[in-house]
Amino acid sequence: MKMIKTHEAIGHTKMLSVLYVEDEYEIRENMAKILEMLYARVFVAVDGVEGLEIYRQNRTVIDLVIADITMPKMDGLEMIEEIRRDNPDIHAIIITAHNEPEYFIKAINTGIDNFIVKPIEMQQMMSVLSKSAKTVKVSKEHKNYANYLEMMLAQKKELLEESYMYDSLTGCYKKEKLDQMSQTHPEHTMILCNIDNFDSINSTYGYEIGDRILFMFAEYLRNHLNSTNTIYRVASDEFVIFYPTSTDEPICPVESLYQGIQSYIFKVDDILISLTCTIGIASSPNALVKAHAAMKEARQIGKNRYHVFRDDSDFIARQKNNIEWMRKIRLALNEDRIVPYFQPIVDNATGQIVKYEALARIIENGTAISPRHFIEPAKLVGLLPQITQVIMEKSYAMFADKSMSFSVNITEEDIQNRNFAAMMAQLGEKYGIEPSRVTLEILENISANGTDESVKQLHELSQMGYTIAIDDFGSDKSNFYRIHSMHVDIIKIDAAYIQDIDCNKTSELIVKTIVSLAQSMGIPTVAEFVSSESVFHKVKSMGINYSQGYYFGEPMPDIG
């Protein structure tokens, strides 16, 4: 067996502290002197109770426990078991006699790390102490390394969290940090600034210039606000100014900020850019959601303005209603519950039905839902073309075995679909219906705001033989020039002027003007919303060619 010299053992033990417990005085004194030569620090106790108390007072520095087994008050194994309840990893050596086999077995079961046998032989003791010191040293190194890794991981985590919450482009915090601040300061106010038409800057000058403008805009906000207010970038072109108090006071700096942004010129190289913002202001709770709603509500009126959220505003209710209807529309499409209802159009001269208009309905729990509930949500979510396609398909199927003509509403979204004309041609071929039997009613967004490409598409459809009608003419978006540029075949006069034309002189005057214009251009007219005999006689007397409304028949799922 290799001889372990004292200086070799010291090389392993000198950095460690040991708790030594022995009840026999002479053995304790001699052993303590040896241990004091080997270890940096030695704590000595006369029994298990004292040893446990010393450990509890010095638990952070004691690396190793050496204890006799048989002692009064509390034996060594009981003491080590108590110590390991506090520190399961502490290294423990038991001093035992050859005539204590039952304690020896119990020590093994307890998980004692090593043994020194009585009577103590120096070589055996040095070997045990050296091996134990090596084990403790390696364990401490591993623990220290683990602590180092944990510390480095914590630092990395902190840096990642900082980068996660910090926008490197503008120097502002991100929305994640804003969420934290909202929780830290339950009473707060937010000013949301959305840069108007920022996408046009990116598309005109490129993203690099756009990014520099964003940085300069953030700098502008920082330079013109109180240092106690923090700025956050919550979207590509949206910034939030956070006030850690719920108050109406920010209205004053908003006015100054609003005016200042309008007059400030942002210069990037030789490019001079003026910006405007639409601003929403709201206080907790849910300040960011409310500020967004206030900003959106301001945008409905027009950009470059600010708006304070009001609890009595119906904007959020309308938004929720739109979101609910988006879900219902998708479900109705999937379940084939979108159907056409047909309303007759009558020739005023003969009183005969000359065609039917196909009107979209959603069937819900046996009830036909009017499009006024779902057209706008469908437009927002891009589902109008799918609805048009369903109504077209079912309308063509309805009239396949009939000689009557019919009309269907189309939107700007339909016309922008390059396959629309091809789809119409396919339906005609499938159901044997000539284009001359089909009238395409243009909703006002085409006639008022349609692009040159839309007009070109309508000309193509007209040349294919389809009749083109302007619907709701006379509304606030009607455009007389479009009648000429689109070569319209029929003008349908807006229901707002027809429904009370028998008793409203203003409506009568407006309708006369429209009819006179149409007659001079040789374009027939249709009165919508004819609901009574008196209204019918009035529109007939004014020279309107056709009538449509509940007076002649409400929309029905079949035409009989």
Side-chain angles (χ1 to χ4, degrees):
M1 182 176 71
K2 181 181 177 181
M3 300 292 289
I4 303 295
K5 297 180 180 179
T6 302
H7 72 273
E8 292 178 359
I10 291 174
H12 301 303
T13 62
K14 63 182 180 180
M15 301 301 293
L16 305 179
S17 297
V18 61
L19 169 62
Y20 171 56
V21 186
E22 172 63 62
D23 62 320
E24 294 185 25
Y25 175 79
E26 186 175 345
I27 296 176
R28 184 173 68 248
E29 288 296 308
N30 292 333
M31 187 70 170
K33 290 178 182 178
I34 295 172
L35 294 175
E36 285 171 353
M37 290 190 303
L38 297 174
Y39 292 92
R41 192 171 180 183
V42 179
F43 300 89
V44 180
V46 299
D47 56 47
V49 173
E50 184 183 13
L52 183 60
E53 181 63 27
I54 291 174
Y55 168 79
R56 287 171 174 167
Q57 294 173 0
N58 302 275
R59 55 165 54 89
T60 59
V61 296
I62 293 175
D63 303 303
L64 173 68
V65 176
I66 303 174
D68 190 15
I69 287 185
T70 54
M71 293 183 293
K73 297 183 181 178
M74 179 185 289
D75 66 42
L77 290 178
E78 291 176 311
M79 180 194 70
I80 289 170
E81 286 178 347
E82 288 296 321
I83 289 174
R84 279 188 167 167
R85 286 191 178 94
D86 177 73
N87 181 4
D89 299 323
I90 196 163
H91 203 83
I93 299 172
I94 283 295
I95 300 175
T96 181
H98 289 296
N99 60 352
E100 298 172 333
E102 70 279 7
Y103 283 109
F104 189 77
I105 293 171
K106 184 178 179 182
I108 293 175
N109 293 334
T110 303
I112 297 303
D113 298 288
N114 220 322
F115 302 87
I116 296 175
V117 180
K118 288 182 179 180
I120 297 173
E121 294 182 359
M122 183 62 69
Q123 180 59 33
Q124 192 259 341
M125 182 184 73
M126 288 297 181
S127 176
V128 169
L129 295 180
S130 181
K131 289 178 181 179
S132 296
K134 287 180 182 179
T135 302
V136 173
K137 184 178 179 183
V138 170
S139 177
K140 287 187 72 173
E141 288 174 351
H142 286 172
K143 187 174 181 180
N144 289 338
Y145 185 63
N147 290 338
Y148 168 76
L149 290 178
E150 187 175 347
M151 180 187 69
M152 293 299 294
L153 183 62
Q155 291 177 352
K156 292 287 186 183
K157 182 182 177 183
E158 185 177 348
L159 289 173
L160 284 173
E161 286 179 348
E162 185 70 13
S163 65
Y164 177 65
M165 295 186 179
Y166 183 78
D167 178 40
S168 58
L169 173 63
T170 62
C172 299
Y173 283 111
K174 296 181 182 177
K175 180 180 177 296
E176 289 74 17
K177 185 69 173 180
L178 179 62
D179 293 339
Q180 280 190 0
M181 287 293 290
S182 299
Q183 294 176 1
T184 305
H185 303 278
E187 296 292 323
H188 56 265
T189 297
M190 294 188 194
I191 299 174
L192 174 72
C193 301
N194 182 285
I195 304 174
D196 296 329
N197 304 315
F198 187 76
D199 57 342
S200 65
I201 295 176
N202 283 332
S203 60
T204 303
Y205 300 107
Y207 289 101
E208 182 181 350
I209 297 297
D211 287 348
R212 292 169 68 181
I213 290 293
L214 287 173
F215 172 79
M216 295 170 68
F217 183 81
E219 278 292 290
Y220 178 88
L221 293 180
R222 276 189 286 265
N223 293 335
H224 289 76
L225 292 172
N226 191 305
S227 59
T228 60
N229 306 130
T230 314
I231 301 169
Y232 302 82
R233 185 185 180 202
V234 296
S236 60
D237 56 359
E238 285 186 353
F239 295 81
V240 165
I241 304 163
F242 184 87
Y243 284 75
T245 179
S246 184
T247 176
D248 292 332
E249 291 181 5
I251 300 303
C252 295
V254 164
E255 179 64 35
S256 172
L257 177 68
Y258 167 73
Q259 297 292 344
I261 291 172
Q262 290 187 82
S263 59
Y264 190 80
I265 303 297
F266 294 87
K267 183 178 180 181
V268 180
D269 298 333
D270 295 329
I271 302 170
L272 302 179
I273 295 176
S274 295
L275 298 178
T276 62
C277 282
T278 303
I279 299 172
I281 309 149
S283 295
S284 54
N286 301 319
L288 185 57
V289 173
K290 292 176 181 177
H292 264 288
M295 184 270 293
K296 294 285 187 182
E297 193 165 6
R299 279 243 167 105
Q300 286 188 336
I301 304 170
K303 298 179 180 180
N304 188 26
R305 62 189 65 238
Y306 63 86
H307 184 71
V308 181
F309 179 84
R310 302 190 319 274
D311 288 327
D312 60 352
S313 170
D314 63 350
F315 178 79
I316 290 182
R318 293 198 307 273
Q319 293 292 91
K320 288 180 179 178
N321 181 69
N322 283 343
I323 292 170
E324 175 63 13
W325 270 107
M326 290 173 191
R327 181 189 66 82
K328 287 184 176 183
I329 293 165
R330 285 194 174 95
L331 190 61
L333 283 167
N334 291 337
E335 296 177 353
D336 194 28
R337 291 188 288 104
I338 294 181
V339 299
Y341 268 45
F342 304 98
Q343 187 172 38
I345 298 174
V346 173
D347 186 328
N348 288 342
T350 65
Q352 299 298 310
I353 297 174
V354 293
K355 69 172 67 174
Y356 288 85
E357 180 181 358
L359 302 165
R361 297 288 188 269
I362 288 179
I363 305 302
E364 188 174 85
N365 299 323
T367 301
I369 307 297
S370 167
R372 66 185 177 86
H373 294 287
F374 60 83
I375 287 297
E376 186 60 28
K379 180 179 179 181
L380 290 173
V381 80
L383 291 176
L384 281 180
Q386 288 180 248
I387 293 174
T388 300
Q389 188 170 354
V390 170
I391 297 301
M392 285 286 187
E393 180 82 34
K394 293 182 178 181
S395 297
Y396 269 76
M398 173 62 71
F399 289 93
D401 59 352
K402 300 174 180 62
S403 60
M404 190 73 68
S405 298
F406 63 96
S407 64
V408 182
N409 291 292
I410 61 173
T411 67
E412 177 76 9
E413 290 79 2
D414 297 319
I415 296 299
Q416 288 175 352
N417 178 6
R418 295 181 179 180
N419 296 321
F420 183 75
M423 180 196 77
M424 296 292 295
Q426 289 172 2
L427 286 173
E429 184 177 350
K430 178 178 179 181
Y431 292 102
I433 294 176
E434 293 295 326
S436 59
R437 290 177 56 194
V438 181
T439 298
L440 301 178
E441 296 193 10
I442 307 166
L443 296 181
E444 61 182 1
N445 65 334
I446 302 179
S447 61
N449 305 321
T451 62
D452 291 338
E453 183 62 29
S454 299
V455 174
K456 182 180 176 182
Q457 292 264 23
L458 287 172
H459 283 168
E460 180 183 348
L461 290 165
S462 180
Q463 290 170 0
M464 291 170 66
Y466 296 99
T467 301
I468 307 298
I470 286 187
D471 197 13
D472 297 331
F473 192 80
S475 66
D476 60 343
K477 292 185 179 180
S478 295
N479 189 320
F480 286 90
Y481 172 73
R482 286 295 187 186
I483 297 175
H484 172 71
S485 64
M486 292 191 297
H487 305 286
V488 170
D489 301 303
I490 298 172
I491 293 175
K492 297 189 75 174
I493 303 171
D494 189 56
Y497 305 114
I498 299 298
Q499 61 187 349
D500 63 352
I501 196 171
D502 57 336
C503 60
N504 188 317
K505 292 298 182 182
T506 302
S507 295
E508 182 179 351
L509 179 61
I510 293 171
V511 171
K512 278 183 178 180
T513 303
I514 295 172
V515 172
S516 176
L517 172 68
Q519 289 175 343
S520 66
M521 299 177 71
I523 301 174
T525 52
V526 179
E528 299 185 291
F529 211 86
V530 177
S531 58
S532 66
E533 184 177 3
S534 61
V535 170
F536 171 61
H537 287 312
K538 174 61 74 173
V539 300
K540 183 179 178 181
S541 68
M542 295 174 68
I544 296 175
N545 304 96
Y546 304 97
S547 291
Q548 177 182 353
Y550 275 47
Y551 179 63
F552 302 101
E554 62 183 276
M556 299 296 289
D558 202 337
I559 62 174

